[in-house]
Amino acid sequence: MPVYEGPEKKLEIILSSPVSGLRSDTDGRWKKVVRLSRAQIISKISNDFMDACLLSESSLFVREDRILLITCGKTAPANALPLLLDLAGKDRVAFLFYEQRNFVPSGSPGEFEKDAAEISKCFPGKCFKLGNADHDYVNCFHCSPAPEKRQMQPVLQLLMHGIDPGVMQIFCRRGNGSAARTRSLSGLETLCDPDMKTDDHLFSPCGYSLNSIRGKDYLAVHITPQPVNSYVSFETSIMENRQQIIGKALKIFRPARFSLLLRSGMDDRNSPSFKKVKSVIQGYAVTDRNLYESGCGYAVTFFNCIRQE
């Protein structure tokens, strides 16, 4: 059985000001964006501030001032950048981020460098690596074209590998299995507040995705429950009770190892210190720590952690 590339590529565009009508899809623009990335839209939920699309390979979130495209497998989100810039306006881009988790064994060597080079044709930027280059790491590209910068919305990511086999069985379709039942059995619904609007999908024969939104905040979970290289990504902009959220996610999936990333503004005094992280990852040892401080008003805190027997 071929190994599916669960680790995602993430393209994010943050605009200096809202673009009225950007969310509109009367012309099928978002289907075109997703199709250029080699994926398809499965379903969509919306509120007053954003649209959240579940994709055949991960998620798309659209606000009038922000676009976040997350895809996995053999997709290519960078292919959609020219169209995204046409829709949003190149001169309105305040920040652009491109991120790719390494895939072990790597199915696409050199792919990040190729994508970063293509993006640089539109916006010159910088590349950096978080983590251990010989093991678990995240390749990042960023640029900040606009002279005036916006306040950075914090984003928390947990990238988990070696998920408990018993847990992974829940995310394989059997009989009358449904996404809602899977969400309940796994405990994932405890990560979503009752006032959040939630959309999820259980793939056949296995795999699961979830989008949940509240106001301008979002939460996304993507699960690849294969026996070899099982993987879960968890991402959210919800920062209240952050330590509890991390603890809940680790308790649900019980990964053998994981990476934690927090992107925040340079003046965010709530960035996770080593002491704070240790307090919610009992049973795990921190193997790598990085802090990347950009020259344009944001920082990324990174930890690699491995389960202790």
Side-chain angles (χ1 to χ4, degrees):
M1 180 180 178
V3 178
Y4 184 79
E5 294 189 32
E8 292 100 346
K9 306 140 197 150
K10 186 169 82 166
L11 176 63
E12 183 176 12
I13 299 172
I14 299 174
L15 304 177
S16 57
S17 59
V19 176
S20 178
L22 179 62
R23 293 170 54 188
S24 172
D25 199 26
T26 55
D27 55 359
R29 61 181 62 179
W30 298 112
K31 289 182 181 179
K32 294 175 185 175
V33 166
V34 172
R35 190 162 56 244
L36 285 171
S37 305
R38 302 178 193 156
Q40 296 179 332
I41 295 176
I42 295 175
S43 58
K44 183 175 79 170
I45 54 175
S46 302
N47 63 20
D48 291 341
F49 299 96
M50 78 168 74
D51 300 314
C53 299
L54 277 180
L55 309 183
S56 55
E57 334 248 351
S58 298
S59 297
L60 168 68
F61 296 91
V62 182
R63 296 188 340 207
E64 289 190 343
D65 60 353
R66 183 181 183 190
I67 302 166
L68 174 61
L69 177 59
I70 307 170
T71 67
C72 56
K74 298 293 186 180
T75 55
N79 287 355
L81 181 59
L83 177 55
L84 289 172
L85 295 180
D86 285 343
L87 296 173
K90 186 176 180 180
D91 58 338
R92 289 179 181 261
V93 177
F95 296 98
L96 185 147
F97 301 95
Y98 183 66
E99 175 187 304
Q100 184 177 5
R101 173 70 158 180
N102 69 308
F103 180 72
V104 181
S106 178
S108 306
E111 182 180 13
F112 171 79
E113 289 77 10
K114 179 182 176 182
D115 289 344
E118 286 300 311
I119 296 171
S120 293
K121 293 178 182 178
C122 298
F123 296 113
K126 296 180 180 179
C127 294
F128 60 96
K129 190 185 299 288
L130 298 168
N132 188 330
D134 296 322
H135 194 44
D136 288 331
Y137 60 89
V138 177
N139 281 314
C140 303
F141 171 92
H142 78 100
C143 62
S144 51
E148 295 183 6
K149 302 300 179 288
R150 291 184 46 196
Q151 183 177 358
M152 181 63 63
Q153 181 182 37
V155 174
L156 169 71
Q157 293 174 259
L158 287 172
L159 311 178
M160 297 172 271
H161 295 266
I163 313 304
D164 184 282
V167 175
M168 287 296 92
Q169 290 181 8
I170 300 174
F171 299 98
C172 295
R173 183 181 290 275
R174 291 185 177 86
N176 296 319
S178 67
R181 185 168 182 270
T182 298
R183 185 170 73 248
S184 177
L185 284 174
S186 65
L188 273 177
E189 61 185 13
T190 65
L191 294 174
C192 304
D193 292 339
D195 58 342
M196 298 185 78
K197 186 176 290 189
T198 298
D199 183 24
D200 56 356
H201 185 85
L202 181 64
F203 293 88
S204 181
C206 61
Y208 175 87
S209 288
L210 176 147
N211 287 341
S212 194
I213 57 176
R214 180 190 64 198
K216 293 184 177 181
D217 285 316
Y218 70 95
L219 182 152
V221 180
H222 303 292
I223 301 170
T224 306
Q226 55 198 0
V228 180
N229 291 311
S230 59
Y231 178 77
V232 175
S233 69
F234 170 87
E235 176 169 337
T236 186
S237 62
I238 300 171
M239 292 294 112
E240 62 261 30
N241 302 317
R242 186 164 56 201
Q243 271 73 26
Q244 291 183 22
I245 290 176
I246 295 170
K248 282 182 180 180
L250 295 178
K251 185 176 181 180
I252 290 171
F253 296 107
R254 301 193 288 275
R257 68 187 200 277
F258 68 91
S259 299
L260 183 155
L261 297 86
L262 177 73
R263 191 186 69 208
S264 60
M266 294 286 286
D267 58 350
D268 183 357
R269 301 181 185 275
N270 295 315
S271 294
S273 65
F274 177 67
K275 185 177 181 180
K276 286 181 180 179
V277 169
K278 289 288 286 184
S279 70
V280 294
I281 60 169
Q282 296 179 9
Y284 289 86
V286 175
T287 58
D288 298 289
R289 283 180 280 170
N290 293 134
L291 173 63
Y292 179 83
E293 297 183 346
S294 76
C296 52
Y298 80 92
V300 183
T301 307
F302 177 92
F303 295 89
N304 265 337
C305 304
I306 188 168
R307 188 170 61 209
Q308 296 176 306
E309 297 299 333

